[in-house]
Amino acid sequence: AQKVTQAQTEISVVEKEDVTLDCVYETRDTTYYLFWYKQPPSGELVFLIRRNSFDEQNEISGRYSWNFQKSTSSFNFTITASQVVDSAVYFCALSEANFGNEKLTFGTGTRLTIIP
Amino acid sequence: GAGVSQSPSNKVTEKGKDVELRCDPISGHTALYWYRQSLGQGLEFLIYFQGNSAPDKSGLPSDRFSAERTGGSVSTLTIQRTQQEDSAVYLCASSLAAPRGTQYFGPGTRLTVL
């Protein structure tokens, strides 16, 4: 069975610092997808990124970047020059390509607080 | 375009009552998922729909929980004889068919069972 581990329960950094959120996953499938979602205080889960298991290229989107390493089963998320608006709970998730069913297995989330 | 909508946003009920939670997916999304978020259990998968059929109900915690989807669109999650441990936020997500299956979530329904 698949599993996602986010070992960091809470992180606090001062605004403008860089911060990395860790995500380690377990799966027996060779085809799978990894995700990051943001849950701000309003509560709605906001999609950030989807990466398939065959694409190990790192991705950058503005201040956000993701590092996918199959060798260590990790999919880490870095926020550069953090801002107060980045304060939220961040979830890493995994889905296996299973006959169209891409149900998500979530980690327990990391609560990120950006201190102004 | 419109995102996933859910109603009601909040529901308070008494133990033993039945409740219905509604989800309107993004237009054109054939896949629909229900999840539950609670303090003790985190985010858990409940059920998956492809069109109107539910090939994966493995996450439903008991036979008091059921769901249906009609017209390949709106879905209703029903909880019968609610218990206090059912208190949680119920989230709905929809997506295009795999492998383009990024799930977009609704705002959730917060259920409180007294």
Side-chain angles (χ1 to χ4, degrees):
Chain A
Q2 62 266 42
K3 183 180 178 182
V4 176
T5 301
Q6 294 180 257
Q8 304 152 309
T9 306
E10 294 191 30
I11 300 175
S12 293
V13 299
V14 175
E15 194 173 19
K16 298 184 184 176
E17 287 186 352
D18 300 347
V19 58
T20 295
L21 309 183
D22 297 334
C23 173
V24 174
Y25 63 92
E26 295 176 29
T27 177
R28 287 177 287 189
D29 277 19
T30 55
T31 302
Y32 52 90
Y33 301 93
L34 295 164
F35 302 80
W36 278 93
Y37 284 87
K38 173 182 180 180
Q39 189 173 44
S42 60
E44 191 159 343
L45 279 167
V46 177
F47 166 75
L48 295 179
I49 189 171
R50 168 187 169 108
R51 173 65 78 215
N52 76 55
S53 53
F54 298 109
D55 183 2
E56 282 193 77
Q57 283 193 347
N58 292 334
E59 176 140 349
I60 298 174
S61 175
R63 296 184 296 107
Y64 295 171
S65 62
W66 290 269
N67 179 260
F68 176 27
Q69 293 197 343
K70 288 178 78 169
S71 60
T72 56
S73 297
S74 66
F75 186 45
N76 296 338
F77 173 31
T78 297
I79 302 175
T80 302
S82 59
Q83 299 177 2
V84 172
V85 293
D86 297 326
S87 295
V89 180
Y90 290 86
F91 291 94
C92 181
L94 166 73
S95 73
E96 295 169 344
N98 186 7
F99 303 103
N101 181 358
E102 296 190 352
K103 63 182 176 184
L104 296 168
T105 298
F106 286 90
T108 50
T110 297
R111 181 177 299 277
L112 176 64
T113 301
I114 308 300
I115 303 166
Chain B
V4 178
S5 61
Q6 293 185 246
S7 61
S9 55
N10 277 285
K11 177 71 176 179
V12 180
T13 190
E14 294 179 349
K15 178 181 171 182
K17 300 282 190 182
D18 298 351
V19 295
E20 284 190 353
L21 312 180
R22 176 187 168 107
C23 172
D24 280 272
I26 293 171
S27 178
H29 280 192
T30 57
L32 186 148
Y33 302 79
W34 284 95
Y35 295 87
R36 179 168 74 171
Q37 185 173 24
S38 57
L39 279 176
Q41 302 297 323
L43 273 156
E44 308 172 275
F45 164 79
L46 296 178
I47 188 169
Y48 156 65
F49 285 92
Q50 182 57 243
N52 290 336
S53 65
D56 187 354
K57 305 178 183 179
S58 62
L60 295 178
S62 77
D63 59 8
R64 296 186 295 104
F65 288 72
S66 63
E68 65 174 13
R69 189 178 184 194
T70 55
S73 180
V74 172
S75 177
T76 303
L77 177 69
T78 301
I79 309 173
Q80 295 179 310
R81 304 181 303 282
T82 52
Q83 304 293 311
Q84 287 185 333
E85 60 262 29
D86 299 335
S87 295
V89 177
Y90 290 82
L91 294 164
C92 176
S94 71
S95 73
L96 294 170
R100 298 173 295 160
T102 295
Q103 294 175 40
Y104 296 92
F105 283 80
T109 294
R110 181 175 297 278
L111 175 65
T112 303
V113 182
L114 302 176

